[in-house]
Amino acid sequence: MDGMAALFEPHAVIDSGGGQLTFGREAIRTMFAEVTATGRKFQSGDQRPAVINGDLALTSTRLPDGTITTEVARRQNDGTWLWVIDRFSVA
């Protein structure tokens, strides 16, 4: 799951619900590895247009079960975007 973790800034945070926060790219890498080891599949959904203000962007996806993911990305010096905050599906 190195590919997934590479989408996050080094000090990013993921809120996966239930008060569970994962801090930092290494912990995020471990979390994704543990989730996929259980056989859980990540759903694809309807990605909504990003809302951009300067070097910040709010992204979200509506999943088939109706839940919504939300993320905050920051533009990097090289022009690419990395997530700094990720909230897994919320109702």
Side-chain angles (χ1 to χ4, degrees):
M1 292 276 65
D2 286 342
M4 290 289 289
L7 299 173
F8 293 86
E9 283 193 354
H11 302 289
V13 61
I14 291 180
D15 175 355
S16 29
Q20 244 185 342
L21 299 177
T22 304
F23 294 96
R25 189 182 287 155
E26 290 307 314
I28 290 169
R29 180 179 288 114
T30 299
M31 183 207 63
F32 279 123
E34 290 171 354
V35 167
T36 55
T38 67
R40 179 178 168 198
K41 304 287 184 199
F42 290 93
Q43 300 180 48
S44 59
D46 179 27
Q47 188 170 6
R48 309 306 304 158
V51 178
I52 300 172
N53 184 355
D55 289 333
L56 294 176
L58 177 65
T59 61
S60 63
T61 302
R62 180 177 295 280
L63 300 175
D65 65 3
T67 58
I68 299 171
T69 67
T70 55
E71 306 83 27
V72 175
R74 183 180 0 244
R75 188 187 331 254
Q76 306 300 297
N77 289 335
D78 64 1
T80 60
W81 293 85
L82 294 176
W83 285 317
V84 292
I85 302 170
D86 184 357
R87 175 176 279 170
F88 281 6
S89 40
V90 293

